[in-house]
Amino acid sequence: MSHTVAGGDAAETKRRLAALALGAMGVVYGDIGTSPLYTLQTTLSHDGLHPTQESIYGVLSLIFWAQILVVSLKYVVFIMRADNKGEGGIMALMALAQRSVREQPKLRWVLVILGIFGAALFYGDGVVTPAISVLSAVEGVKVAAPGLGKWVVPITVVVLFLLFLLQRHGTERVGKLFGPVMLVWFVVIALLGVNMIVRHPQVLYAVLPIYGVKFFLSHGLQAFIALGGVVLALTGAEALYADMGHFGKKPIRMAWFSFVLPALLLNYFGQGALLLMHPEAIDNPFFKLAPTLLLYPMIGLATVATVIASQSVISGAFSMTREAMSLGYSMRMPVVHTSREMSGQIFVPWVNYFLLLMVLFAVLHFGSSERLSAAYGIAVTGTMAITTILALIVARHQWGWKMPAVVAAGGLFLVIDLSFFSANLIKIEYGGWFPLVLGLAVFTWMTTWRRGRELVVREIKQGGLALAPFIAAMREHPPLRVPGTAVFLTANQHAVPHALLHNLKHNKVLHERNVLLTVEMLESPVAEAEERIHIDATGDEFYGIALRFGFAEDPNVPLALSQCARGGLGFDMMDTTFFLSRENIVADKRRPGMALWRDKLFVFMARNALPATAYFQIPGNRLIELGAQVEI
């Protein structure tokens, strides 16, 4: 009987693993799964390079070993070990790396800068990916009917506009179709590749690294420039790590090695076999793999697959924005939960509109996937290099790797990452400037918010009245006490909050019980039960409470306070009033801090940020706000 139960459990585990692997295929691998649409075409058709046998074998060899060394070895095996309590992505990795070097403030500062810049570049990727993916799919129309070429950009604009318009409804329902659709996609592209490989099996010789080496020796600078095209085959590798929290390591690894990697390689080598027989097919080798009868269905399937690929990047931008808000690197924005079951499925309206505008600009400005490919690569490779550095810090300081192992791994991965990055720097004047400018703007936005908040907290702490003498004075000259509990949100537990002083000054009363509440965001995704609440009784019915939340959590202050009863401090929400000082921030050039233009940018952000009360889910009917002016 026990054997039957054990067998049933094992079967259920396998079914669940297979279901998660199917889901990962839809969400995680959409971006990298659609890269065959444009990679070989872009790489083998840039200035001075033509689809000869030597160049085809060389580029295929580079693509093959890039998939093995970068995606399989670096991301799937190495980087995915660096999980922050199950969560992945560059912000989670930055927080993990920071935690592992707590005693080294200078190194922590460097890691913060690297992490923020990597996150900023991710937004650049989030703009270019939907644009190039959908554009390349719709360009299949030109293969079927060349006269329809003028409609490619308008159709792309409509598809992208609808994609961003649907974001507010969430991806839960559509998401259930992602896995099966991508499963069909990978099966179809693998079969198309096999069909051509069978006709020209010699193309498989390209798996030998010697062909990549020969390509560099014979083509020199052209081969180096070709690396900027080869990197297109790696786009979406960051998604493997970023979406780890949704599916877990095992399903993502299982989907990659058993299905996605073989399908991609078969298609790339199939395109190579086609080009060996018909070099003129370089204008669109992907769609020319398909038989004429299947061309229109293939265009439709490719369009759906690229929409799915775009969806994963957009969802990633939403998740990263929420993490940035929690870690204090972004102003608070409204976050809409689109699923009751999945907390990770969110919609951030401001980010959605920003991405839509930038994506439409990219499509209209560049006009074709070939031109847009020049803008692609810098953001991706920059983020890849930063991810490697952060993971090596974790390996050294948290996993206890010996220095020779760190140097060996770093040498291998960073040489590859920096080679790809430097090859893409050549593209700056042709379009590479676009994601860099975008990344720099986001970097400025995030660092300005972080520094601005530090200045505001510093001013509040400097101007505060010490709490201990205040309580002593209250004992000597007790004011009128009124029933109930007053909760004052404050950044400094040792100073009297401005709201408390205003209440005492104008209303001449104190509540029976006064709580100084500080909300802290941790460098881990979820706060453990034992670290969630810290209560400190300071005497005379004054209490200090610190509530801690992880960066992947939605901070619900009333719910957390209701759990304080376990620590001996119960709350009746109907008898509790929240007091908050609403800061009116003023930029003053006479004060040391940031440049005046950054001060003014921060003031703009602060005035348009979601109020702390809404962010902490404090009910409006239990809230009193009092103004306080802060100069920075």
Side-chain angles (χ1 to χ4, degrees):
M1 184 68 182
S2 61
H3 292 294
T4 307
V5 173
D9 288 345
E12 180 59 33
T13 302
K14 284 182 180 177
R15 276 196 296 271
R16 178 166 172 73
L17 190 61
L20 285 169
L22 181 64
M25 218 175 286
V27 175
V28 177
Y29 293 112
D31 190 0
I32 200 168
T34 52
S35 56
L37 278 164
Y38 43 78
T39 300
L40 217 57
Q41 174 192 354
T42 301
T43 310
L44 285 168
S45 61
H46 69 74
D47 293 341
L49 195 62
H50 304 287
T52 62
Q53 178 174 317
E54 192 177 31
S55 64
I56 292 167
Y57 275 32
V59 169
L60 284 177
S61 185
L62 291 175
I63 289 173
F64 175 82
W65 287 105
Q67 298 278 11
I68 299 300
L69 293 175
V70 178
V71 186
S72 304
L73 184 60
K74 178 184 150 184
Y75 276 96
V76 179
V77 175
F78 172 60
I79 299 287
M80 282 179 66
R81 280 193 63 199
D83 65 298
N84 194 337
K85 293 186 179 178
E87 289 292 323
I90 196 161
M91 292 297 283
L93 181 60
M94 179 190 73
L96 185 64
Q98 278 186 280
R99 279 217 315 274
S100 65
V101 291
R102 278 183 177 145
E103 309 304 319
Q104 302 177 54
K106 288 185 179 178
L107 182 54
R108 275 177 65 92
W109 181 82
V110 171
L111 295 180
V112 166
I113 296 299
L114 277 175
I116 296 174
F117 192 62
L121 288 176
F122 179 85
Y123 287 97
D125 185 24
V127 167
V128 182
T129 292
I132 192 172
S133 298
V134 177
L135 200 50
S136 60
V138 178
E139 280 173 350
V141 170
K142 292 195 290 188
V143 177
L148 295 176
K150 62 182 179 181
W151 292 99
V152 167
V153 170
I155 293 170
T156 301
V157 167
V158 170
V159 170
L160 288 168
F161 187 79
L162 290 174
L163 170 65
F164 282 95
L165 199 64
L166 291 171
Q167 293 303 312
R168 66 176 63 253
H169 301 294
T171 57
E172 186 181 15
R173 293 176 186 171
V174 186
K176 291 176 182 175
L177 297 173
F178 283 5
V181 169
M182 291 310 294
L183 180 66
V184 171
W185 168 259
F186 286 121
V187 168
V188 169
I189 66 170
L191 290 175
L192 290 175
V194 169
N195 179 48
M196 203 56 66
I197 291 169
V198 168
R199 301 184 194 183
H200 204 299
Q202 294 92 331
V203 74
L204 294 176
Y205 283 125
V207 300
L208 300 173
I210 189 65
Y211 287 102
V213 175
K214 281 182 178 178
F215 179 59
F216 268 96
L217 292 175
S218 60
H219 286 76
L221 181 61
Q222 285 182 348
F224 180 69
I225 295 171
L227 280 180
V230 172
V231 79
L232 298 174
L234 309 177
T235 59
E238 279 287 326
L240 304 179
Y241 182 49
D243 288 312
M244 187 167 59
H246 295 291
F247 298 97
K249 300 176 190 177
K250 214 169 183 180
I252 291 174
R253 285 172 172 161
M254 177 180 165
W256 173 253
F257 285 116
S258 65
F259 210 85
V260 178
L261 177 62
L264 289 175
L265 291 177
L266 286 170
N267 190 266
Y268 280 125
F269 278 79
Q271 290 185 49
L274 172 68
L275 291 173
L276 286 169
M277 293 183 286
H278 303 285
E280 70 279 3
I282 189 60
D283 59 331
N284 206 318
F286 178 84
F287 283 109
K288 289 188 175 178
L289 276 181
T292 308
L293 287 174
L294 295 178
L295 193 52
Y296 282 108
M298 198 63 207
I299 293 167
L301 179 61
T303 304
V304 174
T306 53
V307 165
I308 292 172
S310 305
Q311 180 62 61
S312 64
V313 176
I314 296 165
S315 299
F318 292 160
S319 299
M320 186 173 289
T321 302
R322 182 170 75 164
E323 290 178 4
M325 282 191 282
S326 297
L327 290 168
Y329 297 107
S330 171
M331 59 184 277
R332 295 179 297 270
M333 305 178 201
V335 176
V336 180
H337 286 266
T338 58
S339 169
R340 292 182 179 179
E341 288 79 27
M342 295 287 291
S343 63
Q345 291 197 5
I346 56 174
F347 168 64
V348 185
W350 283 27
V351 174
N352 192 57
Y353 298 140
F354 169 73
L355 290 178
L356 172 60
L357 288 174
M358 292 297 101
V359 167
L360 293 181
F361 170 81
V363 170
L364 295 172
H365 177 75
F366 291 98
S368 71
S369 61
E370 188 177 349
R371 288 187 63 202
L372 197 52
S373 68
Y376 216 16
I378 289 182
V380 175
T381 52
T383 307
M384 282 180 172
I386 291 169
T387 298
T388 300
I389 293 167
L390 294 175
L392 289 170
I393 294 289
V394 172
R396 174 74 176 128
H397 293 277
Q398 194 148 320
W399 302 344
W401 279 24
K402 301 293 184 186
M403 187 55 78
V406 173
V407 171
L412 173 64
F413 296 137
L414 282 175
V415 163
I416 296 171
D417 291 340
L418 296 176
S419 296
F420 281 130
F421 182 70
S422 53
N424 277 281
L425 286 178
I426 299 169
K427 300 179 182 178
I428 285 181
E429 64 176 303
Y430 304 107
W433 57 267
F434 179 61
L436 280 181
V437 169
L438 208 57
L440 191 61
V442 174
F443 179 78
T444 304
W445 181 271
M446 294 171 82
T447 52
T448 298
W449 177 259
R450 178 73 170 186
R451 180 62 180 149
R453 286 306 306 167
E454 287 173 356
L455 293 173
V456 168
V457 170
R458 186 187 71 184
E459 288 298 316
I460 291 172
K461 285 183 177 179
Q462 285 178 351
L465 185 67
L467 182 64
F470 174 80
I471 294 175
M474 290 301 100
R475 288 198 193 101
E476 290 182 18
H477 307 285
L480 178 65
R481 293 271 185 142
V482 295
T485 299
V487 177
F488 299 92
L489 270 76
T490 178
N492 187 1
Q493 290 273 348
H494 304 292
V496 183
H498 287 293
L500 193 155
L501 289 173
H502 281 298
N503 188 41
L504 185 61
K505 180 181 178 182
H506 296 292
N507 298 324
K508 307 292 191 293
V509 295
L510 269 183
H511 282 70
E512 277 180 341
R513 190 170 63 170
N514 296 277
V515 174
L516 275 64
L517 176 65
T518 302
V519 180
E520 300 174 13
M521 306 307 292
L522 302 177
E523 291 173 350
S524 53
V526 180
E528 302 292 345
E530 62 272 11
E531 62 182 347
R532 172 79 72 199
I533 301 166
H534 176 75
I535 302 172
D536 182 25
T538 51
D540 206 35
E541 288 300 303
F542 275 81
Y543 298 88
I545 296 181
L547 297 181
R548 300 182 181 93
F549 298 93
F551 62 73
E553 295 183 277
D554 292 316
N556 189 326
V557 166
L559 180 63
L561 288 178
S562 68
Q563 297 167 354
C564 288
R566 299 172 194 167
L569 190 65
F571 281 87
D572 175 6
M573 281 299 136
M574 297 307 295
D575 198 32
T576 300
T577 304
F578 292 87
F579 288 83
L580 177 71
S581 292
R582 179 178 280 272
E583 298 126 1
N584 179 31
I585 301 167
V586 178
D588 188 345
K589 64 181 178 182
R590 293 168 297 179
R591 287 183 171 270
M594 299 185 288
L596 185 59
W597 68 267
R598 288 185 73 194
D599 283 342
K600 289 181 177 179
L601 174 60
F602 175 71
V603 169
F604 169 79
M605 293 162 75
R607 287 177 182 169
N608 288 279
L610 186 72
T613 49
Y615 186 66
F616 295 137
Q617 303 181 51
I618 296 171
N621 59 352
R622 310 300 316 161
L623 173 70
I624 295 175
E625 287 187 305
L626 299 165
Q629 182 163 305
V630 179
E631 293 181 347
I632 60 169

